[in-house]
Amino acid sequence: MDKILEAVVMSSYPNNVKQGLVRRVIEAAKQPMDSEQCWSMLELSTKLYLLGDTKYKREIGKEVLEVYGHYHPEEFEEFFNVRFLLSLLQEGYGPLGKRSHYVLDYIQLGLQFVLESPSANSIFGLLRIEVLRKVCERPSPKQCAKISKLLIQHPQCIPVGKHQVLFCQQLIRCIRQFQCVSEGEEDIMEFLEQVNKVSGLLQRIWRTQTSVILPSLKELFTIISSTEEQEAPSNALASVVQFVPLELMDGVIRNLTNDDSITDVQMMTAIGRMIDWVSWPLGKNIDKWIIALLKGLAAVKKFSILIEVTLSKIEKVFSKLLYPIVREGALSVLQYMLLSFQHSHEAFHLLLPHIPRLVVSLKKEDSNSATSSLEQLAELIHCMFFRFSGFPDLYEPVLEAIKAFPIPNEDRIKYLLGQNAWTSQKNELACFYPRLASKSETGKIGLINLGNTCYMNSIIQSLFMASDFRHSVLNLTEGNSQPLMTKLQWLFAFLEHSQRPAISPESFLSASWPPWFTPGAQQDCSEYLKYLLDRLHEEEKTGKRIYQKLKESSLMSQVVEHHYLNKTLIEKMFGGKMMTKIRCLKCLNVSSREEAFTDLSLAFPPPDRHMRGSTSVLPVEEIGPQFIEPPENPSQLTGSPWIRRKAPMAGDPAALPMPVETLSFQEPGEAANPLSGDAVGVDAAKDPLSAFGEQACAPKDSRSVPDLINYFLSPERLTAENKYHCEKCASLQDAEKVAELTEGPHYLILTLLRFSFDPRTMKRKKILDNVSIPVVLKLPILVAPKETEEVCQHGKDRPAPGGGFTSVVYDLCSVVVHSGISSESGHYYCYSRECTDTVPHGQPQDGAPKPASDKQLDFEIQWYLFNDTRVSFSSFESVSNVTSFFPKDTAYVLFYRQRPGRQSCPLHEALAEAGCLHGEPSLHKDLMEAISKDNILYLQEQEKEARNRAAYISALPKSPLWWRDFDRDKDDDSSSGGCSPAAGGGGSGTFHGLVF
């Protein structure tokens, strides 16, 4: 039968006649026949499939093979054996020099008939080894695509273990050499399809074995960072990156940018080649990876690489806006490159000659993509105009080209510039580019990191943004016998009046350095804050004692005596008082102790303590943008937290607990917050704790600052080894301890105790729980029963007869964030805003300060992000969401400012009288002279740096020209669409010109 089939195929009959005869042979093959005949037919069909010189012959060979595979499986398995396949793969098939190109197709065809055979595992094992050998030989894109097609259809043949890692790496090496030599559109489309099949195999492997991804990416980076190979790697490598999960991006970029073994030249080469990938037409997320690496380099201050790469590549990226298929990614990369390159106009000015012609081309295209890109490009250009003003002659043609597009407002421009700048530490680039002389767009000044001193920088900026404290410090007179406070005054003055973008706090660091801190090591910012406030407090107390002795010697006036015998500044600003009560559960005797505090350290409840519906004594309320006023009825004060929880105590007033409120945002027309005003009624008296527990808590399975305060204020049982020694019982007894705030500080500092000691690792571990932060909260202050003096604290009402709790309202003004997983490492930065007591715009006619509403406090006061030298605009939304996006970035220290109520406070009045609420205090002569001299010195430094910059610029290599696209368009006026591919013109608009 094989002779008949061969004669028919080789005959000169018409194909339709041949097909009828072949069909008879194939039908006969479905009948039983001996093994020898089967073998002959399998050999003939193999020969036709592998060596057939026409598609017709190969199709016949395929049909016969499939019939014998279906109807004669035993004979097919015997024929399709391991030895035969090894020979095909290693020696090929056919005469020397004319080996068949269809071996892999043939194997893929035959595999489907032996999948259940006993020899299947042996065949799979052979193919695992052979496909690895094949890719090591660097086959063509077509052969790589066939290998990929085979392995995708039969994943049992994919190498495993270490061989799988090696296989992926070698496959990437193959892609590195892929080139499309033809300019025909069909050939290019076939090439792209082949590349997609190969990268699709990598995606298939990575999806099932994620451990292979990082070694594969390491190999990819080795290829694109190589400076030894003369020929640049293929842009087809872009197809590899598109399948890397985006959730790995941060880790991959962080590892790359922090790898000391990678030289600057290698990194520059790698990022330059990645930027070339914007030309790849079918790549997804390529722009995201490019921008992430650029941001990563900025984070580790590799500014020289960023400058060189931007100047050499930005024109090429810009030219790709001509092509709709890659326009979106190219525009994203271009936006970041321009918006981040804010220290010099050079990158933007490279594009000026080409912008008008690009605008013309996109207008001719007249597509949605072109229109959208033009609008984004116009916004980007206006941002550059705003950033680099003073070049009307250069900008006029560009402005004319984009005049039809809307101009973004200044807030939008500042937002875009603030979000993308990598030049925050401007002094580090000043030797090259003196335009770094300008301050942050915010007008605020940063602090230079002196070597893991971000913990100090964050605290200083938070204290500086506490405007009442800052004004008091700046108002200190000379000769105040407080050397550390004087240094803080100088530091605040420079932060207020210096022309530098960032200043060095070196002098203050050396003066305020806790002796047990290790130089150069990361420290706990809370520990530093407590030490600093204590030092300042003790220093002022010492001064007061000196003045007291002088007074006793009659060397002081009564005015000075009055000034120096009141509280210290730290006590006025940050000091509060807390009453700790312990009640013996046997005799019900209560002992109490009042102590001062400058911050509240809030522990996290144990995991088994559910905050929702918990029995916290004083649930916290969250205040939203409704106008907050003290209660109309001052008698709505509440008493002991033990009432209705335990047996009544002798002498305790039978009053209700006052909620520690976190006042939530409330739209007009909504029901009033049940926690505010008269919501605490008779029903609450039955079970006051359950009345507040639900509303006081954050969403289920989350924590909030009110939760932690409630836990802090809730009673603690002292039992077992922790029993209390009752003096009345003269023995150890079970007891209950509770803390009550008796005096609210002007600035409330809350420290979230995120670091706990792990006895297993002998290290302090970090609690990474997300904690929601209310922008405004109410706190309960216990008023003594016999208190007769006027209640001074902001937001506090006059106490009712018999005493109780009253609410004090606090506004959030600073959040210090710790990024990292350990107190000994990581990074600190802070969000801050200035909270004041008056409306920002306009004052009442009588001159009295007008209380600011929550709307004004929440939305009109600008938030800033202080990150060492970098200062940028921010928002409360950013503060609230930081941990959601960056799980290791968690709020650690919070600053709240007390809001004034109807009862005025001497401290508030003193500040108002001094004019501190409406203007900066005048500095003493020596301090003003020092700032003026430093500003003059800074200008001189800029002049010197300008000369250095001129010398540096002349030594730079010229940027390569990427403008064949525009040049061709200029010479080819006959093409209807100019240089735009969508217009149907030739030249640069061809697909080959885009990709390759």
Side-chain angles (χ1 to χ4, degrees):
M1 190 178 292
D2 58 301
K3 299 298 182 183
I4 297 173
L5 178 61
E6 186 173 16
V8 169
V9 172
M10 299 301 177
S11 70
S12 59
Y13 294 128
N15 281 350
N16 59 337
V17 176
K18 288 183 184 181
Q19 189 63 37
L21 296 173
V22 169
R23 185 58 50 199
R24 293 183 183 181
V25 174
I26 290 176
E27 288 299 323
K30 296 179 181 179
Q31 306 303 317
M33 62 177 63
D34 58 55
S35 297
E36 185 177 349
Q37 184 61 47
C38 286
W39 195 277
S40 299
M41 288 297 290
L42 287 169
E43 284 184 333
L44 175 61
S45 58
T46 298
K47 179 180 177 182
L48 289 173
Y49 187 88
L50 292 174
L51 297 180
D53 55 359
T54 65
K55 185 176 180 181
Y56 175 71
K57 291 178 181 179
R58 292 196 297 274
E59 286 295 328
I60 291 175
K62 178 182 178 183
E63 285 188 50
V64 174
L65 282 169
E66 289 176 336
V67 168
Y68 278 83
H70 278 296
Y71 293 95
H72 306 281
E74 294 181 2
E75 288 78 4
F76 187 90
E77 180 185 345
E78 183 181 357
F79 176 82
F80 198 80
N81 58 67
V82 171
R83 182 174 295 180
F84 174 56
L85 295 181
L86 181 62
S87 173
L88 283 178
L89 290 165
Q90 293 191 351
E91 301 172 13
Y93 190 92
L96 192 65
K98 294 184 179 180
R99 300 298 192 195
S100 173
H101 298 295
Y102 302 99
V103 169
L104 291 170
D105 305 88
Y106 175 82
I107 293 174
Q108 183 177 346
L109 175 64
L111 273 178
Q112 60 184 310
F113 303 112
V114 297
L115 294 176
E116 304 298 330
S117 69
S119 62
N121 288 333
S122 299
I123 294 174
F124 296 154
L126 168 69
L127 290 175
R128 292 187 195 110
I129 296 173
E130 286 301 306
V131 294
L132 177 58
R133 182 184 62 80
K134 282 283 186 184
V135 297
C136 289
E137 293 174 354
R138 304 290 180 266
S140 66
K142 188 173 184 178
Q143 290 300 308
C144 275
K146 289 184 176 183
I147 292 173
S148 301
K149 185 179 178 182
L150 169 65
L151 298 183
I152 289 173
Q153 184 172 343
H154 301 288
Q156 308 95 320
C157 303
I158 298 175
V160 296
K162 293 182 179 179
H163 287 172
Q164 189 176 82
V165 175
L166 181 59
F167 175 77
C168 291
Q169 292 174 330
Q170 293 302 318
L171 201 58
I172 292 172
R173 286 273 172 190
C174 290
I175 299 175
R176 181 221 175 278
Q177 297 182 327
F178 284 2
Q179 297 296 337
C180 183
V181 294
S182 173
E183 294 193 14
E185 186 168 334
E186 288 186 5
D187 293 332
I188 292 176
M189 294 303 297
E190 182 183 4
F191 173 74
L192 293 175
E193 186 178 351
Q194 292 164 356
V195 174
N196 276 351
K197 283 183 180 178
V198 177
S199 59
L201 173 61
L202 286 171
Q203 181 191 25
R204 172 71 178 267
I205 295 173
W206 291 349
R207 190 180 296 156
T208 56
Q209 294 292 333
T210 55
S211 60
V212 181
I213 298 178
L214 292 181
S216 301
L217 291 181
K218 186 176 181 181
E219 186 70 18
L220 174 64
F221 186 81
T222 300
I223 293 170
I224 63 175
S225 65
S226 174
T227 57
E228 299 175 359
E229 302 176 19
Q230 294 182 350
E231 184 179 353
S234 170
N235 281 350
L237 287 170
S239 65
V240 175
V241 174
Q242 66 178 328
F243 293 123
V244 180
L246 290 180
E247 55 265 27
L248 296 180
M249 182 183 289
D250 289 344
V252 170
I253 298 300
R254 186 165 52 250
N255 290 337
L256 280 179
T257 55
N258 288 283
D259 190 341
D260 295 334
S261 66
I262 300 174
T263 66
D264 285 357
V265 175
Q266 289 174 322
M267 184 63 75
M268 192 180 304
T269 303
I271 186 62
R273 286 170 174 168
M274 284 182 67
I275 290 174
D276 289 342
W277 291 350
V278 297
S279 300
W280 189 251
L282 302 178
K284 299 177 182 178
N285 300 325
I286 302 301
D287 56 323
K288 293 183 176 66
W289 281 95
I290 293 171
I291 293 171
L293 184 53
L294 291 172
K295 288 182 176 179
L297 291 171
V300 295
K301 305 176 186 177
K302 295 288 187 179
F303 299 126
S304 59
I305 297 176
L306 291 168
I307 292 170
E308 184 66 28
V309 167
T310 301
L311 294 178
S312 64
K313 294 293 183 180
I314 195 167
E315 291 176 283
K316 184 171 186 178
V317 173
F318 186 78
S319 71
K320 299 310 170 187
L321 298 181
L322 290 167
Y323 305 95
I325 197 169
V326 298
R327 183 175 293 148
E328 183 179 356
L331 184 57
S332 295
V333 175
L334 178 71
Q335 285 175 323
Y336 179 77
M337 292 176 88
L338 279 180
L339 290 172
S340 63
F341 204 91
Q342 295 183 28
H343 64 284
S344 166
H345 53 71
E346 188 172 6
F348 176 52
H349 285 191
L350 285 174
L351 305 181
L352 293 179
H354 316 297
I355 291 174
R357 291 153 65 187
L358 176 71
V359 172
V360 171
S361 295
L362 293 183
K363 284 182 177 179
K364 285 182 180 180
E365 183 181 316
D366 193 24
S367 66
N368 290 336
S369 169
T371 302
S372 174
S373 297
L374 278 172
E375 290 174 354
Q376 294 179 67
L377 182 63
E379 181 179 66
L380 184 61
I381 291 169
H382 281 294
C383 287
M384 294 298 100
F385 286 166
F386 180 86
R387 182 67 186 88
F388 305 117
S389 58
F391 301 92
D393 53 333
L394 294 176
Y395 295 164
E396 185 176 348
V398 178
L399 191 60
E400 178 67 21
I402 63 170
K403 65 181 181 180
F405 299 96
I407 301 174
N409 60 45
E410 187 173 317
D411 289 339
R412 170 68 176 168
I413 291 174
K414 287 182 176 180
Y415 170 79
L416 290 173
L417 291 170
Q419 290 296 309
N420 293 280
W422 46 257
T423 57
S424 55
Q425 299 194 359
K426 300 177 181 180
N427 58 321
E428 298 185 20
L429 288 169
C431 59
F432 301 113
Y433 298 103
R435 289 187 68 87
L436 288 177
S438 59
K439 284 185 182 181
S440 160
E441 295 290 340
T442 64
K444 304 295 182 182
I445 297 176
L447 290 169
I448 296 172
N449 193 316
L450 302 174
N452 279 330
T453 57
C454 54
Y455 67 91
M456 178 188 71
N457 291 349
S458 298
I459 293 300
I460 289 175
Q461 295 285 20
S462 297
L463 292 174
F464 178 80
M465 293 295 285
S467 55
D468 297 337
F469 178 65
R470 179 179 74 245
H471 294 316
S472 298
V473 171
L474 292 176
N475 271 321
L476 289 175
T477 58
E478 294 182 82
N480 53 47
S481 301
Q482 301 178 59
L484 183 58
M485 186 68 82
T486 300
K487 286 186 179 295
L488 183 62
Q489 181 188 44
W490 279 60
L491 182 57
F492 279 3
F494 272 81
L495 285 174
E496 190 76 52
H497 299 289
S498 177
Q499 294 301 313
R500 297 180 183 272
I503 60 176
S504 171
E506 185 175 4
S507 176
F508 187 76
L509 174 65
S510 61
S512 63
W513 181 273
W516 61 88
F517 276 16
T518 304
Q522 185 60 277
Q523 306 293 343
D524 188 328
C525 75
S526 173
E527 187 177 4
Y528 173 78
L529 174 60
K530 291 175 183 176
Y531 176 79
L532 174 61
L533 296 182
D534 186 59
R535 277 277 308 276
L536 294 171
H537 171 66
E538 292 298 329
E539 188 178 77
E540 186 174 350
K541 280 177 61 179
T542 301
K544 290 180 185 295
R545 285 194 294 269
I546 294 173
Y547 277 92
Q548 176 66 19
K549 291 181 180 179
L550 291 174
K551 181 196 70 108
E552 292 172 357
S553 303
S554 300
L555 297 176
M556 284 182 62
S557 67
Q558 292 299 315
V559 176
V560 175
E561 174 187 354
H562 173 75
H563 174 75
Y564 278 95
L565 290 184
N566 58 14
K567 291 182 177 180
T568 67
L569 177 60
I570 300 304
E571 288 176 314
K572 293 175 186 176
M573 293 293 170
F574 306 103
K577 291 183 180 179
M578 177 171 53
M579 180 76 71
T580 302
K581 296 180 180 180
I582 302 179
R583 181 181 64 170
C584 175
L585 295 181
K586 182 178 180 181
C587 67
L588 301 183
N589 181 57
V590 177
S591 63
S592 60
R593 183 182 75 256
E594 188 175 51
E595 52 191 349
F597 68 88
T598 54
D599 80 314
L600 296 181
S601 298
L602 305 180
F604 282 72
D608 58 348
R609 180 183 174 109
H610 301 287
M611 295 309 298
R612 180 167 289 277
S614 67
T615 56
S616 56
V617 174
L618 300 168
V620 182
E621 290 185 44
E622 211 168 315
I623 304 179
Q626 60 224 39
F627 194 89
I628 302 303
E629 294 186 356
E632 292 294 334
N633 183 5
S635 65
Q636 291 176 350
L637 298 173
T638 57
S640 168
W642 281 312
I643 289 188
R644 303 210 177 266
R645 187 161 184 227
K646 295 291 179 187
M649 297 170 52
D652 279 345
L656 299 174
M658 166 63 70
V660 186
E661 306 175 41
T662 68
L663 307 183
S664 59
F665 288 91
Q666 178 178 321
E667 296 297 331
E670 287 187 11
N673 190 327
L675 293 177
S676 57
D678 298 324
V680 182
V682 178
D683 291 338
K686 298 177 182 177
D687 190 356
L689 301 173
S690 63
F692 301 121
E694 192 70 20
Q695 291 93 338
C697 298
K700 188 177 181 180
D701 299 328
S702 67
R703 303 285 192 196
S704 68
V705 170
D707 290 337
L708 303 189
I709 298 177
N710 288 335
Y711 181 59
F712 178 83
L713 296 176
S714 63
E716 174 189 357
R717 278 295 180 96
L718 305 179
T719 59
E721 297 179 355
N722 201 26
K723 283 187 176 183
Y724 164 69
H725 186 273
C726 177
E727 295 182 0
K728 189 173 181 180
C729 298
S731 62
L732 293 174
Q733 297 292 338
D734 288 348
E736 197 166 39
K737 181 172 73 172
V738 69
E740 297 169 340
L741 303 179
T742 57
E743 183 179 323
H746 185 65
Y747 282 101
L748 172 67
I749 300 176
L750 304 176
T751 301
L752 312 188
L753 297 179
R754 291 191 172 276
F755 302 111
S756 59
F757 183 76
D758 188 346
R760 294 176 300 173
T761 60
M762 301 300 289
K763 293 182 179 180
R764 294 174 72 193
K765 66 178 182 180
K766 182 178 177 181
I767 300 172
L768 294 173
D769 294 4
N770 190 6
V771 176
S772 61
I773 305 169
V775 68
V776 183
L777 59 80
K778 277 187 178 180
L779 217 58
I781 302 299
L782 180 65
V783 179
K786 296 182 181 180
E787 184 177 356
T788 55
E789 63 181 358
E790 199 173 89
V791 179
C792 164
Q793 299 302 322
H794 296 200
K796 190 184 295 183
D797 299 301
R798 187 181 300 276
F805 287 95
T806 185
S807 292
V808 175
V809 180
Y810 281 90
D811 296 298
L812 181 67
C813 54
S814 287
V815 178
V816 178
V817 176
H818 178 264
S819 176
I821 58 174
S822 167
S823 61
E824 289 80 25
S825 62
H827 181 63
Y828 288 100
Y829 56 92
C830 73
Y831 294 93
S832 289
R833 63 173 182 166
E834 291 194 49
C835 294
T836 59
D837 297 333
T838 54
V839 179
H841 306 290
Q843 296 298 328
Q845 295 295 325
D846 59 3
K850 178 182 176 181
S853 72
D854 289 327
K855 286 280 188 186
Q856 292 155 344
L857 286 170
D858 296 343
F859 301 112
E860 291 189 14
I861 301 178
Q862 176 66 54
W863 281 91
Y864 303 93
L865 172 59
F866 294 89
N867 190 350
D868 290 331
T869 54
R870 182 176 184 270
V871 186
S872 59
F873 291 108
S874 190
S875 65
F876 181 67
E877 182 181 9
S878 178
V879 179
S880 303
N881 295 335
V882 62
T883 307
S884 301
F885 294 110
F886 306 100
K888 295 179 184 178
D889 292 24
T890 53
Y892 185 37
V893 179
L894 313 177
F895 287 71
Y896 281 88
R897 181 183 183 274
Q898 190 178 131
R899 186 183 298 181
R902 291 183 175 178
Q903 302 297 330
S904 62
C905 173
L907 174 60
H908 170 69
E909 291 175 353
L911 290 169
E913 288 173 6
C916 295
L917 293 177
H918 306 288
E920 295 304 324
S922 58
L923 306 177
H924 58 76
K925 182 179 178 182
D926 288 349
L927 187 48
M928 286 301 300
E929 287 181 356
I931 295 172
S932 298
K933 287 181 180 179
D934 185 71
N935 287 338
I936 293 172
L937 176 62
Y938 184 56
L939 292 175
Q940 294 172 345
E941 291 172 357
Q942 299 312 296
E943 293 175 1
K944 181 179 179 181
E945 286 159 2
R947 293 191 293 270
N948 292 341
R949 178 176 180 268
Y952 170 75
I953 294 294
S954 63
L956 279 176
K958 292 183 178 179
S959 300
L961 299 177
W962 303 102
W963 295 98
R964 291 185 307 169
D965 304 311
F966 292 109
D967 294 339
R968 285 180 182 175
D969 181 44
K970 185 169 56 179
D971 298 334
D972 186 14
D973 294 332
S974 61
S975 62
S976 61
C979 61
S980 172
S988 66
T990 63
F991 207 31
H992 190 274
L994 163 65
V995 185
F996 315 105

